Amino acid sequence: LAILFKGFTSRHRTLLTRAYITYVRPILEFCSQIWSPVLHKDIDALERVQRYFTRKIKGLAQLNYNERLKILNLETLEIRRLKADLKMYYKILNNLIDVDSNDFFKLFESSHDTRGHKFKLRKMFFCKDNQLFCNRVVDCWNWLSAEVINSPSFLAFNTKLDLIDFNLF
């Protein structure tokens, strides 16, 4: 961030936000599906970078973090990691990537119709090396509506996902 603020003489809000999204945020989100922090101190350490960035934007320092995010049209990094996991769940369950879904997930098998969608997942008590990923957002995935889960394409799923408020999680 220091290099970003030194490298740009302009303090225009849109320019700095695009530079942050292009150069800094990818570093913070790199491989979040593989490694996603679970300890509050690690989550806060990542989020602190974005808090610092939003505080340095002219005219936003006096606002609280959520208001700054809303003005800059950004989401918390924690919500972005949650969405990245959900997108990966969608890709795996719909065979959009060459991964066997049985290695990661167990679908609910019931003899009667249940509420929700056909891809309800059970938490696994044991996994191979993917222990965290296979259980990390199962509750959130099962909470999603059938309309979102049954999206005809990844693009449609992604668009519907952006319309949901994930602050509950």
Side-chain angles (χ1 to χ4, degrees), residues 107-121 142 146:
L107 291 173
F108 267 116
E109 297 175 17
S110 65
S111 57
H112 59 282
D113 290 337
T114 58
R115 292 182 209 170
H117 50 82
K118 64 180 179 177
F119 286 120
K120 291 272 185 179
L121 301 174
N142 289 339

Side-chain angles (χ1 to χ4, degrees), residues 24-38:
V24 178
R25 198 166 66 183
I27 296 168
L28 299 173
E29 296 177 337
F30 181 70
C31 287
S32 68
Q33 293 87 354
I34 305 300
W35 180 85
S36 186
V38 281

Side-chain angles (χ1 to χ4, degrees), residues 86-87 90 94 116-117 119 140-141 143-164 166:
L86 291 171
K87 291 172 190 177
Y90 181 87
N94 287 287
H117 50 82
F119 286 120
C140 185
W141 176 265
W143 174 80
L144 292 174
S145 68
E147 178 188 358
V148 175
I149 298 297
N150 297 327
S151 297
S153 69
F154 179 71
L155 183 60
F157 176 77
N158 199 10
T159 303
K160 290 176 184 178
L161 211 57
D162 286 337
L163 300 175
I164 298 172
F166 285 102

Side-chain angles (χ1 to χ4, degrees), residues 1 4 8 14-29 50 53 74 80:
L1 283 177
L4 184 129
F8 289 93
T14 307
L15 174 72
L16 288 174
T17 303
R18 285 187 183 174
Y20 168 78
I21 289 170
T22 304
Y23 297 114
V24 178
R25 198 166 66 183
I27 296 168
L28 299 173
E29 296 177 337
Q50 187 162 281
F53 167 75
L74 296 172
R80 287 186 55 80

Side-chain angles (χ1 to χ4, degrees), residues 97-113:
I97 57 175
D98 191 22
V99 173
D100 186 10
S101 63
N102 294 325
D103 290 342
F104 291 92
F105 309 115
K106 294 269 189 216
L107 291 173
F108 267 116
E109 297 175 17
S110 65
S111 57
H112 59 282
D113 290 337

Side-chain angles (χ1 to χ4, degrees), residues 80-97:
R80 287 186 55 80
R81 285 191 303 275
L82 172 70
K83 286 183 177 182
D85 284 345
L86 291 171
K87 291 172 190 177
M88 185 60 75
Y89 276 37
Y90 181 87
K91 288 178 183 178
I92 292 171
L93 290 168
N94 287 287
N95 298 318
L96 298 177
I97 57 175

